[in-house]
Amino acid sequence: MPLVLWRDARVQRIAVQALVLAIVAIIGWFLVDNLISELDRTGLQAMPFVEVSGSFPFVDFSEDFLSQRAGFGIGETSFGVDYTPNNSYADAFRAGLANTFRVAVLGIVLATAIGLLAGVSRLSKNWLVSHLAEAYVETFRNVPLLVQLIFWYTAVALRLPTITDTMDLLGVMLVSNRGVAVAWGEPQDGFRLWLLLLGGAMVIALVVRAALVRWQDASGTPRYPWWGAFGVFAAIGAITFFATGQPLEFQRPVLEGRAYAGGAQLSPEFVALLVGLVLYTGAFIAEVVRGSILAIPRGQDEAAAAVGLKAMQRLRFVILPQALRIMVPPLTNQYLNLMKNSSLAVAVAFPDVFQVTRVTINQTGQAVPMIVLVMATYLTISLAISAVMNLAYNRGLRGGR
């Protein structure tokens, strides 16, 4: 009987899989046991943040050594994070994480815009436009990102005029080797209330858009749902802006002595990192856009032309909506790459979460828990980006049916 079972193909597949799992488990156990033994020998723990308890949920979390005073400075922070060297390592990690978020969010938005423009330009019938786009794509996607970051930092950002010779661009932007300062809104009293009202305005705008879409489908005449939704959102935003006492004051940057005051100030490290990431990722996104447009059957464009649509209308209303459903999966990969590549900020000394982790490891000697923590952080951000893009992809497919 056992011999008969072993000749069964299904049993053989299960046995092979069980054997592979057992080998992987043994190797994993050996590595973990060896790591824990070595850490015990030096008086360290693999996961000092986690302790097993006797009551539900049977695990307690604590900051452990992360609650100690950090003692090192972070040159710039994001999203209003207030950090000084007297804060804890946990606060330093949060400040670095906020900087990573700022680079990733701005990078994704700008890389998408540049990639879309370059991808469409590569298909242009204008010889100069198409070849300029091709030169951009082939140049930036074939040079390692690390090399580009060092170039933008050492050969461009640090070679700008000194702060005493600051370049003033129309009074809204100041540029020097100390960084870039741009006009920006400074939150005042009532800013949070205005943000809440804007959230409500967005919900109302989406409802208006849905109503206009139904009206358009029923009547057969264009009702411009997006323009209608935007108009509602802008009107409510303007009314609530004045009703809440103008909670956002726009400030132009000025030069005071040897420093900038007012507006949003960007360090040379941040500018070099952002420019490098955007141009590098934008080149790959351009190819994604071009390939997705070419995947649309030519008959779609010809049919749109037959009903009198102009080239821009065919691109906007016929080609791009269909190409979007094709380009979303590869776009997700590019967004994930951009976020992970932001860890190269260490090459230009930008204090992102990885740079802060390196400093923390050097000062505390807690390499294993910090590496595990930063890996879990990047994994969580990547899974969040994938979830958002998958949601957009699924909604796009439903819209196309």
Side-chain angles (χ1 to χ4, degrees):
M1 186 64 178
L3 185 61
V4 175
L5 285 176
W6 179 246
R7 290 177 179 175
D8 190 309
R10 184 180 175 186
V11 174
Q12 291 177 358
R13 285 197 298 269
I14 295 174
V16 170
Q17 293 176 37
L19 178 62
V20 171
L21 285 176
I23 293 174
V24 171
I26 292 173
I27 294 175
W29 176 83
F30 172 76
L31 294 176
V32 172
D33 183 67
N34 184 63
L35 173 64
I36 293 176
S37 299
E38 291 300 321
L39 289 175
D40 288 340
R41 190 176 302 172
T42 56
L44 299 175
Q45 296 179 355
M47 290 301 294
F49 317 119
V50 183
E51 293 183 0
V52 179
S53 65
S55 57
F56 184 81
F58 307 110
V59 175
D60 292 332
F61 294 95
S62 66
E63 292 186 345
D64 197 71
F65 69 89
L66 290 179
S67 62
Q68 300 173 5
R69 178 178 177 274
F72 62 87
I74 294 180
E76 60 184 301
T77 57
S78 306
F79 303 117
V81 174
D82 188 16
Y83 173 82
T84 68
N86 289 324
N87 287 90
S88 64
Y89 287 114
D91 293 330
F93 190 86
R94 283 189 280 267
L97 183 59
N99 285 340
T100 296
F101 268 122
R102 182 170 61 146
V103 169
V105 172
L106 283 176
I108 287 174
V109 173
L110 296 177
T112 303
I114 290 178
L116 180 62
L117 179 63
V120 174
S121 297
R122 284 207 66 180
L123 299 174
S124 173
K125 295 180 180 177
N126 185 299
W127 183 89
L128 179 60
V129 171
S130 64
H131 281 77
L132 282 176
E134 182 180 3
Y136 157 68
V137 171
E138 297 302 333
T139 300
F140 284 94
R141 77 170 180 170
N142 290 310
V143 177
L145 177 57
L146 181 59
V147 176
Q148 294 188 39
L149 292 179
I150 294 176
F151 168 78
W152 288 114
Y153 184 56
T154 60
V156 178
L158 296 183
R159 301 300 176 187
L160 291 171
T162 62
I163 195 165
T164 54
D165 298 322
T166 293
M167 292 188 296
D168 189 343
L169 304 179
L170 304 175
V172 296
M173 180 182 292
L174 302 179
V175 181
S176 74
N177 60 4
R178 293 286 186 87
V180 177
V182 296
W184 197 253
E186 185 69 21
Q188 307 294 320
D189 293 339
F191 180 71
R192 292 185 178 180
L193 174 61
W194 186 54
L195 284 183
L196 291 175
L197 295 174
L198 284 183
M202 184 172 294
V203 174
I204 296 174
L206 292 176
V207 172
V208 170
R209 177 188 175 277
L212 289 175
V213 168
R214 287 196 297 270
W215 188 12
Q216 179 176 268
D217 293 342
S219 63
T221 56
R223 300 298 177 186
Y224 306 103
W226 279 114
W227 283 110
F230 176 76
V232 170
F233 178 79
I236 297 177
I239 293 172
T240 54
F241 179 78
F242 290 104
T244 53
Q246 303 183 24
L248 194 63
E249 180 183 355
F250 288 93
Q251 296 180 348
R252 289 187 175 186
V254 294
L255 181 62
E256 292 184 355
R258 300 182 66 82
Y260 296 133
Q265 299 173 24
L266 311 175
S267 68
E269 293 79 15
F270 177 82
V271 173
L273 177 63
L274 183 63
V275 171
L277 285 174
V278 166
L279 292 180
Y280 180 77
T281 310
F284 287 92
I285 292 179
E287 287 301 275
V288 171
V289 172
R290 185 174 72 94
S292 301
I293 292 176
L294 290 177
I296 303 301
R298 189 175 180 83
Q300 294 287 318
D301 186 63
E302 295 172 351
V307 297
L309 294 181
K310 297 179 180 178
M312 187 58 68
Q313 291 175 319
R314 298 198 299 272
L315 179 66
R316 177 184 172 189
F317 297 114
V318 179
I319 304 301
L320 280 183
Q322 298 182 71
L324 183 62
R325 296 197 297 275
I326 301 174
M327 70 175 72
V328 166
L331 267 182
T332 304
N333 293 333
Q334 297 307 320
Y335 292 165
L336 293 176
N337 287 338
L338 187 147
M339 195 281 297
K340 291 180 289 187
N341 287 337
S342 68
S343 62
L344 289 175
V346 67
V348 294
F350 178 72
D352 74 327
V353 67
F354 184 60
Q355 169 74 352
V356 172
T357 299
R358 287 183 67 249
V359 177
T360 304
I361 291 174
N362 290 336
Q363 294 192 176
T364 63
Q366 299 279 2
V368 174
M370 288 306 300
I371 291 297
V372 171
L373 182 60
V374 77
M375 287 175 63
T377 301
Y378 278 114
L379 177 62
T380 303
I381 298 175
S382 296
L383 292 177
I385 293 175
S386 298
V388 171
M389 294 302 292
N390 286 337
L391 178 63
Y393 179 68
N394 291 330
R395 288 187 63 83
L397 281 181
R398 282 198 296 268
R401 289 170 183 168

